Every structure is written in C-alpha cells, then in structure tokens.
Amino acid sequence: MITRFAPSPTGPLHLGHAYSAMLAHDMAMAADGTFILRMDDIDRVRSKPEFEQQAIADLHWLGLSWPEPIMKQSRSEPRFRANIQQLAQQGLIYPCSCSRADVENAANAPQEGVPTHGPDGRIYPGTCRARPMAAFKEGDAIRLNMEKAVHGAAPLPSYLETGERHRGTMQLDPVDLITSIGDVAVARRGMAAAYHLAVVVDDDAQNITHVIRGEDLFDATRIHVLLYHLLHLPIPIYHHHRLIRDDNGKRLAKRDDARAISKYRAEGATPNDIRRLVGLPEV
C-alpha cells in the first residue's frame, strides 16, 4: 500500500488536514506500506514557500514521516504536457478562450431539470467545443470533450471505494459524466495542468495505490477514474473519509486560522491531543 497526503501550500494546515494526513499515514503503516508527502503547488500565484515549510513542520510534529525528497507538482510540467498530448492525439481535448464570466453568461438560462454545477463548478456550456487544438492560443484553457471521451472509452471502467459513507464497486455512467460533469478543464490559463489531470498524473508517477482524501472530493473521483482510463493508467483504490467541521457544522477551510495546527502547537497541545480532537486513536 502506498498512500499520500498532497496539500496545496496556500495557507496553514488545519484540523481537517491533520485528520486526512494522519489517517493516510496510519493506514499505510498498518499495512506495512509507505506514506508519501507531496506538495500540490501548481498554483504559482497562491502557493508560498512559507506555507510549505510550515506544513512540513506541522506534519513532523504530528509524528508523520515520509521518503525524501518531497515531490512538487510545479516540477511535473513535462509529464502534464506529455499526457495532454496523449489526449490530443485521441482527439479528446480542445482549446477554450472563455472567461469565468463568459461561462456564466452562456449558461445563465439552463434547461429545467438539467444540472448547472458539477465537481468542476459551473458545467461548461460547450461554447468552444468546435475549436481544434491547432487553434490553441497563449492564454487558452484546455477542456476534455466529455461526450467524445465517454464514447471513445467504452466500456467505461469501475473502481473500488472503501470509504466511510461510500463503499464497494463504483461504475462510471456515461450519461452522468456528460450531463452532471461536462467538459472539465485539464489545463487552465497560465497553468500546465488543472487539478483533475495533475492529481491523476502525479499519483500515477508516485505509484499511489490508495487515495485517502475527504468526501468533498468523492464526486470528482468520476473525472479522475475516467482520466486514468483514457491515459491507460492503473486505477487506484479510493477511500473518502468524513470531514472535520467547526461548531456550526461548516467544513474547515484554510482561512480558519483558529483551527490551524500551528496554533494548537503554540498553545501547548500534543499530537495525541490533536488525535483525540479529530477522533483518531492515540499512538
């Protein structure tokens, strides 16, 4: 078993991060496996070295260890480009010049009963779908033509989920992918790859066998499994865990400094205090 924790260094880690990292570490250690730390720093604007160093210090304090060196997503651009080229050769992607405002304006009159948002946000209305990759211009995003991808990938794959709320064999559904997810971005403006492609490519590069992450990403797993299938990569086992929430039941975010691990450390908490707070057994 090889698990990973892959935070974006865009803010301090909080209790939700602690739970996810410790769970992935515990599961790997229980199986005599390997736990890997990766920095998903593809967002060059928001990622900061100080947040990366703070995350490493927090995770070491929690008692976690991992092989060195730590992979950084920002150094994976050659792999991302190679996989985008592979999708282009299959005729499955196209350049998109639409801004967020363009997408909103084009999708502001949805058909009744048709989903408007999916795991990638607003479902793209297909404005640029007819553009060939030869028309790509600097500043364009790149989108997956979901209808072509689904039809070209038949039969669609299944994957194994071992999570707390979702468990068993999950089968991708073509209609669901087209109507509830749509043409997701595989590369965004100014970025070598968007999250969905980047996480698949890097998890494969590190031979991740079990993806341990929050249930807020459960719906996005359909995108990732499809990309694994299209790129002819082995599909990992997924385990989506419960989210750590505040007193009002709201999911924690990086702006929740009151829940930052570094603050608990400064106030004299111990790693086992954190384990108790998030509902993990002490060590």
Side-chain angles (χ1 to χ4, degrees):
M1 177 186 282
I2 304 176
T3 68
R4 52 78 168 167
F5 178 61
S8 298
T10 57
L13 300 186
H14 54 60
L15 288 179
H17 295 113
Y19 177 70
S20 193
M22 290 189 294
L23 180 62
H25 187 272
D26 289 357
M27 291 177 68
M29 296 304 100
D32 197 24
T34 301
F35 168 81
I36 289 175
L37 175 64
R38 182 174 75 234
M39 287 293 163
D40 282 3
D41 61 344
I42 196 169
D43 186 339
R44 301 289 186 86
V45 175
R46 297 172 60 224
S47 295
K48 305 295 181 186
E50 57 267 32
F51 290 132
E52 179 181 327
Q53 294 306 312
Q54 183 178 338
I56 291 170
D58 287 341
L59 295 170
H60 275 314
W61 176 76
L62 288 171
L64 310 189
S65 59
W66 49 84
E68 297 284 353
I70 297 171
M71 178 188 282
K72 294 187 178 183
Q73 198 173 62
S74 57
R75 297 174 182 170
S76 299
E77 291 190 7
R79 283 197 298 274
F80 299 153
R81 286 194 294 267
N83 283 276
I84 286 174
Q85 181 62 26
Q86 187 175 341
L87 294 172
Q89 289 171 349
Q90 298 177 63
L92 299 180
I93 56 177
Y94 60 89
C96 174
S97 59
C98 298
S99 66
R100 290 183 184 273
D102 292 335
V103 174
E104 288 293 330
N105 291 335
N108 62 8
Q111 293 179 303
E112 186 176 353
V114 176
T116 59
H117 289 77
D120 201 38
R122 169 71 79 170
I123 296 175
Y124 184 66
T127 308
C128 293
R129 193 175 291 145
R131 289 182 66 197
M133 279 303 294
F136 177 85
K137 296 179 180 179
E138 187 69 28
D140 283 348
I142 299 175
R143 292 186 178 274
L144 180 70
N145 186 319
M146 187 60 77
E147 188 165 352
K148 279 189 177 181
V150 165
H151 292 154
L156 292 178
S158 60
Y159 67 96
L160 184 61
E161 169 70 50
T162 64
E164 299 167 18
R165 291 184 57 193
H166 311 279
R167 183 174 292 269
T169 300
M170 306 289 169
Q171 178 65 52
L172 296 191
D173 176 77
V175 175
D176 171 66
L177 288 167
I178 294 169
T179 61
S180 299
I181 294 178
D183 294 1
V184 296
V186 295
R188 296 196 181 277
R189 189 172 287 109
M191 299 171 66
Y195 167 73
H196 300 300
L197 179 67
V199 72
V200 164
V201 172
D202 278 347
D203 279 348
D204 177 72
Q206 294 191 290
N207 300 312
I208 302 302
T209 64
H210 293 68
V211 175
I212 318 298
R213 62 189 186 187
E215 62 182 16
D216 55 322
L217 287 169
F218 175 77
D219 287 339
T221 305
R222 294 169 289 172
I223 304 170
H224 303 164
V225 170
L226 178 63
L227 286 171
Y228 275 111
H229 186 63
L230 294 173
L231 296 169
H232 309 294
L233 304 175
I235 300 169
I237 294 171
Y238 285 87
H239 181 99
H240 290 88
H241 58 70
R242 61 185 171 85
L243 301 178
I244 304 300
R245 301 182 181 275
D246 63 18
D247 296 337
N248 297 316
K250 184 180 178 181
R251 177 171 67 91
L252 296 183
K254 284 180 179 172
R255 61 182 174 272
D256 293 307
D257 289 345
R259 308 284 177 156
I261 300 171
S262 56
K263 183 171 183 179
Y264 286 97
R265 290 173 59 193
E267 292 175 349
T270 68
N272 274 328
D273 290 332
I274 303 300
R275 284 183 164 271
R276 284 192 293 272
L277 281 170
V278 299
L280 285 172
E282 298 181 24
V283 294

